Amino acid sequence: MQNSFVKRIGDYILRPARPEDIPKVISVNLAMLPEHYSESFYDEMLRESPETFLVAELAGEVLGYIMCRIEYGFSTLKKFGFARKGHIVSIAVIDDHRSKGLGSALVIEALNGMRQRGCTEAYLEVRVSNAPAIRLYQKLDFKIVTRISGYYRDGEEAYLMAASLVPPST
Ligand SMILES: CC(C)(COP(=O)(O)OP(=O)(O)OC[C@H]1O[C@@H](n2cnc3c(N)ncnc32)[C@H](O)[C@@H]1OP(=O)(O)O)[C@@H](O)C(=O)NCCC(=O)NCCS
């Protein structure tokens, strides 16, 4: 079934990515991040996790995206046990359109997509030097779980960050 979710942020629209968006998503990725992927990887992510692959657009132009994978494996937050987890694989917003809330909204809506898919945790890797991204994730209740040495090709370390998706019981 087609996911019909749409959210407005000022003049911007957040909506699920469509196959025809992928070339534009790749352009944003190439311009904004050093980590790149093959076109078939984007296709696979959209096919397998459409609820968590979203774009931000303005006047028909894709200016940002988030792409996540639904996984099952060892819990990132609990010492023992397994969990269904949403992995934020890549997120970027074109620099002229930053600090308008698009990055936060993309993460919030992707977390909702993860909940729809039964995930109880979300996690991601982020460069230890990427202060804007780390601040954004911390604002959305992600905590640093550990530091991964040599995670990036250029040798930079990553923080592994994770958040619980289960609302705390009152
Ligand atoms: C990370 C990124 C997606 C944030 O997008 P954005 O649209 O600017 O995000 P928002 O406008 O929602 O900002 C959210 C929070 O991020 C933080 N933030 C954003 N820009 C920042 C900056 N230049 N310096 C410090 N913190 C910043 C702030 O905590 C901000 O909260 P605030 O609105 O209360 O100030 C964007 O900076 C980006 O595309 N960076 C390049 C790609 C990247 O690093 N991706 C993450 C890889 S893990």
Side-chain angles (χ1 to χ4, degrees):
M1 196 178 67
Q2 182 80 32
N3 184 348
S4 58
F5 153 87
V6 172
K7 181 173 186 170
R8 284 178 194 282
I9 299 173
D11 292 336
Y12 297 89
I13 287 175
L14 249 64
R15 61 164 176 80
R18 301 190 281 251
E20 59 271 27
D21 295 321
I22 287 181
K24 291 177 184 171
V25 168
I26 292 175
S27 311
V28 175
N29 169 271
L30 289 174
M32 296 299 144
L33 277 167
E35 289 75 43
H36 308 309
Y37 314 91
S38 66
E39 190 166 345
S40 60
F41 181 75
Y42 289 91
D43 291 339
E44 181 190 324
M45 298 285 284
L46 184 55
R47 230 180 9 256
E48 294 188 356
S49 308
E51 302 84 352
T52 56
F53 196 153
L54 308 168
V55 295
E57 73 172 16
L58 179 67
E61 274 304 301
V62 171
L63 303 165
Y65 71 91
I66 187 165
M67 171 171 85
C68 315
R69 182 160 52 202
I70 308 299
E71 300 169 359
Y72 183 74
F74 287 111
S75 169
T76 311
L77 288 169
K78 292 178 288 180
K79 212 164 180 188
F80 301 106
F82 290 86
R84 185 178 289 275
K85 308 185 284 187
H87 182 186
I88 300 182
V89 173
S90 188
I91 171 173
V93 173
I94 293 277
D95 37 16
D96 287 353
H97 299 271
R98 289 189 192 159
S99 296
K100 295 173 191 286
L102 294 178
S104 309
L106 285 166
V107 175
I108 289 167
E109 296 310 331
L111 299 181
N112 284 336
M114 291 174 192
R115 290 187 181 93
Q116 271 178 43
R117 290 284 300 268
C119 295
T120 53
E121 300 178 3
Y123 79 98
L124 58 94
E125 296 85 10
V126 56
R127 286 177 182 268
V128 295
S129 63
N130 193 346
I134 294 167
R135 283 251 289 279
L136 184 162
Y137 300 134
Q138 284 176 329
K139 224 176 68 178
L140 297 177
D141 288 337
F142 281 81
K143 305 273 186 288
I144 294 173
V145 175
T146 189
R147 216 173 151 121
I148 311 171
S149 60
Y151 183 80
Y152 293 100
R153 279 191 180 189
D154 59 10
E156 185 167 350
E157 296 186 333
Y159 285 128
L160 173 68
M161 299 185 75
S164 172
L165 296 179
V166 179
S169 53
T170 48

